[in-house]
Amino acid sequence: MSEIASVSIARPLSEVADELGRSFREYGFAVIRDHGIPAELIARAEALSKEFFALPEATKKAYKIEGGGGARGYTPFGVERAKDAEVHDLKEFWHVGRELPEGHDLAQYMADNVWPSEVEGFRETFTELYAAFEKAGERVLEAIALHLGLPQTFFTPTVEDGNSVMRLLHYPPLDGPHAEGAIRAAAHGDINTITLLLGAEEAGLELLNAKGEWQAVDTPPGALVVNIGDMLDRLTNHRLKSTQHRVVNPKGPAAYRSRYSMPFFLHFRPDFDIVTLESCIDPARPDDHPAPISSHEFLQQRLREINLA
């Protein structure tokens, strides 16, 4: 097997599209360099994320929105569970979503954000980071479109005003004899279109490769790890793979430290119908592809499976 691609998206996309596409077909993952999210913004966001998670439990829990399925605000430890997993994941997180003006056609699908008043600059920084993630994500989707033989901007209208969510994640430090190698987030596939992850340079992210082995995803500092979500897997009739992945506690001193990361789950618009691309249907087996489903209905179905809806 060849390696997981590590690609600069500052290069012309026509030069990198097929290398990216190969990596997404083989692994469902690629590493993206020169993604355009400023290092200063990332550093500021990481500092504010740590500041929030260091707040007292009672303060954080005041931002838990009952009945919101964790779509906005704070989700405490022990709520989310990977599909089919027996135990809850060892993490707490905060969600920032899209803010739509009142009266917008899609406003019914997207709740208002909540913002912690205790952390100065939180709203401004994460609003800025959300927009930067979205821009980087659209560039990756343009490369994917070229790889699939589609017009470069094919995905632009499909994700415009999409239900994308940015997650600030904190895996607490573990202690005791079993901390090294403990599973911090159980094996799972992502629901969305593509996921862009900041903070993967801390060891622990692993994917399940085609041989059925867990393989570490090595990430240079500041790079993004991008993986295919179930919605894009479905749209391409499994040509681009949504791969099972997990977070494992590293060995050595890092096992006893907190781990922080920031994934951005880029979504199609809620009213986008996921209909298999014509070019991804085998003419010899014209009926062998998933049935059409709206991205909103697909999301609800999957959230129920992971204990968030």
Side-chain angles (χ1 to χ4, degrees), residues 108-291:
Q108 59 170 315
Y109 298 107
M110 295 175 220
D112 292 336
N113 280 311
V114 292
W115 302 102
S117 56
E118 296 80 1
V119 183
E120 199 178 330
F122 192 96
R123 180 176 190 159
E124 296 72 17
T125 297
F126 287 108
T127 300
E128 196 182 328
L129 184 59
Y130 187 103
F133 259 129
E134 191 157 55
K135 200 170 166 188
E138 288 192 7
R139 185 137 177 96
V140 174
L141 285 174
E142 287 183 359
I144 288 172
L146 292 176
H147 172 70
L148 292 170
L150 300 164
Q152 185 168 324
T153 56
F154 173 85
F155 287 106
T156 306
T158 73
V159 296
E160 187 188 355
D161 295 332
N163 201 2
S164 301
V165 174
M166 179 168 62
R167 173 179 285 187
L168 319 182
L169 253 176
H170 172 222
Y171 300 96
L174 301 178
D175 51 26
H178 304 297
E180 297 192 33
I183 306 290
R184 281 183 159 182
H188 64 284
D190 290 347
I191 302 169
N192 43 295
T193 309
I194 56 172
T195 300
L196 298 90
L197 175 67
L198 273 175
E201 52 265 42
E202 175 88 67
L205 177 65
E206 297 182 340
L207 64 84
L208 190 63
N209 67 26
K211 293 179 183 167
E213 301 158 343
W214 287 105
Q215 176 175 339
V217 181
D218 297 320
T219 315
L224 283 172
V225 171
V226 178
N227 63 278
I228 302 295
D230 294 346
M231 292 184 184
L232 193 54
D233 181 306
R234 191 179 177 107
L235 186 80
T236 62
N237 201 16
H238 320 305
R239 182 179 294 183
L240 302 183
K241 290 181 173 50
S242 175
T243 302
Q244 291 281 304
H245 51 285
R246 66 182 187 181
V247 177
V248 175
N249 220 11
K251 302 281 194 277
Y256 304 97
R257 291 201 297 263
S258 275
R259 177 194 174 98
Y260 298 89
S261 66
M262 291 185 282
F264 183 80
F265 301 107
L266 195 151
H267 279 261
F268 289 129
R269 295 167 58 93
D271 58 0
F272 174 70
D273 286 325
I274 305 170
V275 178
T276 305
L277 294 169
E278 207 59 43
S279 59
C280 295
I281 295 173
D282 179 352
R285 291 155 49 194
D287 299 325
D288 189 12
H289 58 85

